Amino acid sequence: MGRLAQTEGLTEIQQEILSTVRSFVDKEILPVATELEHRDEYPTEIVEGLKELGLFGLMIPEEYGGLGESLLTYALCVEEIARGWMSVSGIINTHFIVAYMLKQHGTQEQKDHFLPKMATGEVRGAFSMSEPGLGSDVSAISSKGVRDGDDGDFVLNGQKMWLTNGGSSTLVAVLCRTDEGHPEDAAPHKSMTTFLVEKEPGFGEVRPGLTIPGKIDKMGYKGVDTTELIMQDLRVPADRVLGGATGRGFYQMMDGVEVGRVNVAARGCGVARRAFELGIDYAQQRHTFGKPIAQHQAIQFRLAEMGTKVEAAHALMVGAARKKDAGQRNDLEAGMAKYLASEYCKEVVEDAFRIHGGYGFSKEYEIERLYREAPMLLIGEGTAEIQKMIVGRRLLEEYRFQG
């Protein structure tokens, strides 16, 4: 444990949880992460270990079998896991967003049915907003859910994109357009509904009308399965509309993404911290011109910049989590944290890559993996440009000209 990225004011329980997770990362994730990542292999044993630690239920209330912890505790755990391997933190984060949406917006029956199984990891969550060709423009989704007049169930049709846990999950929260009860000229976000779609894990047709074609081959962020989802006359019972009423899906998803952005920020903090650790260690081992390169002023300047960025990103992430835990609106802070942490992560990783010199380009060295992983944070849960739009609009609301 170094001095950077420490969090003041944690309870003994929080410190104990973090210590346990950190130990798990050091013993069970870091030794195998690069090998698994190069093979693009799903980390089955790591996931089972996280289940045993109770991390799949970390923020699920105790009444449903979870640990009932805060967003801050969760974000700090995600930071530690991402320090080991960012893909594992993605598996947890996507599951957590679905559990959070159920806890905040689900009917009592939906909470009773899903949350206890999600707390143990028996039910694993994924969520789906994006579609091919629309990216961050969620209001333009074309997937539709139409109520069947015979039995009140819904029939879903459409194609979704970029599902983390698309293959391994057994519950997917899917956002579709449902126009019932809304005039055709209504704002698009008022005609969206979140459906809770249960399925078998795997690829191909995982239930009648629902196909997961296979893993998308990616530059980085490997191991975790990222997929498409195709719905062709997929029947979903009316009691699997999140919250029991149509037209609320956009708000439910945005609430989930808001806490998801805190966790993407935490991932950026974790990857940046690992890159800093690798860089400062290598700088003290590698010798040029008769001394360790850490004794060259150019390298010291680079390390100083890296450490400052790690510390700043962590502080902003912690502040955003604490604001949400206090019951306050945190979209401004979450957007700032996600934007800064992802940008700084990319820069710190690149600096560590430069410190490694030619060895940074070798797959033998861990920094090569981080160099391919960091860019995902610039686009996950909304691109950097989307974050800046959100932050800019919120600042204009807060500082409205009064003249």
Side-chain angles (χ1 to χ4, degrees):
M1 270 301 285
R3 180 168 176 174
L4 293 182
Q6 299 301 298
T7 311
E8 297 296 324
L10 297 181
T11 66
E12 287 186 16
I13 292 175
Q14 287 175 313
Q15 291 173 12
E16 186 178 331
I17 291 171
L18 280 177
S19 176
T20 301
V21 173
R22 190 176 302 120
S23 177
F24 181 85
V25 168
D26 288 339
K27 293 176 183 175
E28 307 295 336
I29 297 182
L30 278 172
V32 299
T34 296
E35 181 183 348
L36 291 175
E37 197 270 351
H38 286 167
R39 294 204 303 259
D40 198 6
E41 183 176 322
Y42 189 81
T44 303
E45 290 186 16
I46 292 172
V47 169
E48 290 302 313
L50 293 175
K51 282 183 186 177
E52 291 178 17
L53 291 180
L55 284 195
F56 280 94
L58 192 60
M59 272 193 71
I60 293 174
E62 292 180 6
E63 64 195 276
Y64 299 107
L67 298 179
E69 271 296 330
S70 64
L71 177 60
L72 175 62
T73 308
Y74 190 84
L76 294 175
C77 288
V78 166
E79 181 181 26
E80 292 294 339
I81 293 168
R83 174 181 157 268
W85 185 13
M86 191 178 73
S87 293
V88 178
S89 67
I91 292 169
I92 297 273
N93 185 44
T94 308
H95 172 88
F96 153 72
I97 289 176
V98 179
Y100 174 84
M101 289 167 60
L102 272 161
K103 182 185 78 168
Q104 294 296 107
H105 306 289
T107 65
Q108 193 60 51
E109 184 274 332
Q110 289 167 353
K111 294 178 189 177
D112 291 341
H113 181 76
F114 289 113
L115 288 180
K117 295 175 184 176
M118 295 188 81
T120 62
E122 179 186 346
V123 167
R124 301 264 296 287
F127 74 103
S128 177
M129 291 190 294
S130 189
E131 296 179 2
L134 71 85
S136 295
D137 186 9
V138 179
S139 64
I141 66 169
S142 59
S143 296
K144 274 199 107 166
V146 178
R147 198 185 292 267
D148 189 322
D150 294 336
D151 54 17
D153 291 351
F154 284 84
V155 178
L156 275 50
N157 282 280
Q159 184 176 359
K160 310 298 278 187
M161 193 72 175
W162 306 119
L163 274 78
T164 300
N165 291 348
S168 55
S169 60
T170 54
L171 174 66
V172 186
V174 182
L175 188 65
C176 292
R177 188 172 301 286
T178 51
D179 295 326
E180 60 179 24
H182 298 284
E184 292 204 3
D185 59 349
H189 63 273
K190 292 184 178 179
S191 62
M192 295 185 192
T193 299
T194 303
F195 293 93
L196 301 170
V197 178
E198 298 169 82
K199 70 176 188 67
E200 292 297 314
F203 301 99
E205 190 171 27
V206 291
R207 66 174 276 185
L210 180 64
T211 301
I212 307 292
K215 291 171 66 171
I216 297 169
D217 194 15
K218 309 184 297 292
M219 174 179 79
Y221 199 42
K222 292 178 178 288
V224 59
D225 47 290
T226 306
T227 73
E228 298 175 71
L229 178 148
I230 299 169
M231 300 175 289
Q232 295 175 304
D233 294 332
L234 170 65
R235 299 191 70 85
V236 177
D239 63 4
R240 289 298 173 257
V241 169
L242 181 61
T246 61
R248 298 176 183 170
F250 182 83
Y251 303 102
Q252 294 163 346
M253 284 279 182
M254 289 304 105
D255 189 27
V257 167
E258 197 171 286
V259 293
R261 283 182 177 141
V262 173
N263 285 300
V264 171
R267 283 193 247 179
C269 291
V271 174
R273 179 144 55 96
R274 183 59 182 165
F276 174 81
E277 291 170 358
L278 294 172
I280 201 166
D281 283 352
Y282 186 81
Q284 294 172 80
Q285 297 170 41
R286 171 74 163 149
H287 285 67
T288 63
F289 306 105
K291 60 184 178 182
I293 63 172
Q295 292 182 21
H296 295 296
Q297 191 179 58
I299 299 298
Q300 290 176 10
F301 281 2
R302 197 176 291 280
L303 291 170
E305 292 171 358
M306 292 163 68
T308 302
K309 289 172 181 176
V310 167
E311 188 74 0
H314 177 85
L316 208 55
M317 178 271 290
V318 167
R322 281 184 160 145
K323 193 139 195 166
K324 187 76 170 179
D325 284 333
Q328 301 176 46
R329 181 177 179 180
N330 85 329
D331 55 344
L332 174 64
E333 291 77 13
M336 285 180 168
K338 192 272 177 189
Y339 167 62
L340 190 81
S342 58
E343 293 288 347
Y344 276 180
C345 175
K346 173 184 68 74
E347 293 170 12
V348 171
V349 167
E350 183 167 320
D351 282 339
F353 175 83
R354 289 170 184 264
I355 287 171
H356 279 74
Y359 287 108
F361 217 60
S362 167
K363 284 184 175 287
E364 282 186 51
Y365 283 75
E366 190 180 337
I367 192 63
E368 181 271 344
R369 169 170 63 84
L370 302 187
Y371 196 79
R372 288 183 290 103
E373 289 180 338
M376 198 287 291
L377 297 169
L378 300 172
I379 53 177
E381 310 288 17
T383 64
E385 288 69 30
I386 291 291
Q387 305 312 312
K388 288 191 278 189
M389 283 173 55
I390 292 168
V391 169
R393 288 170 182 171
R394 286 289 290 116
L395 289 173
L396 286 169
E397 287 177 24
E398 292 287 338
Y399 291 87
R400 193 176 300 281
F401 180 60
Q402 301 295 324

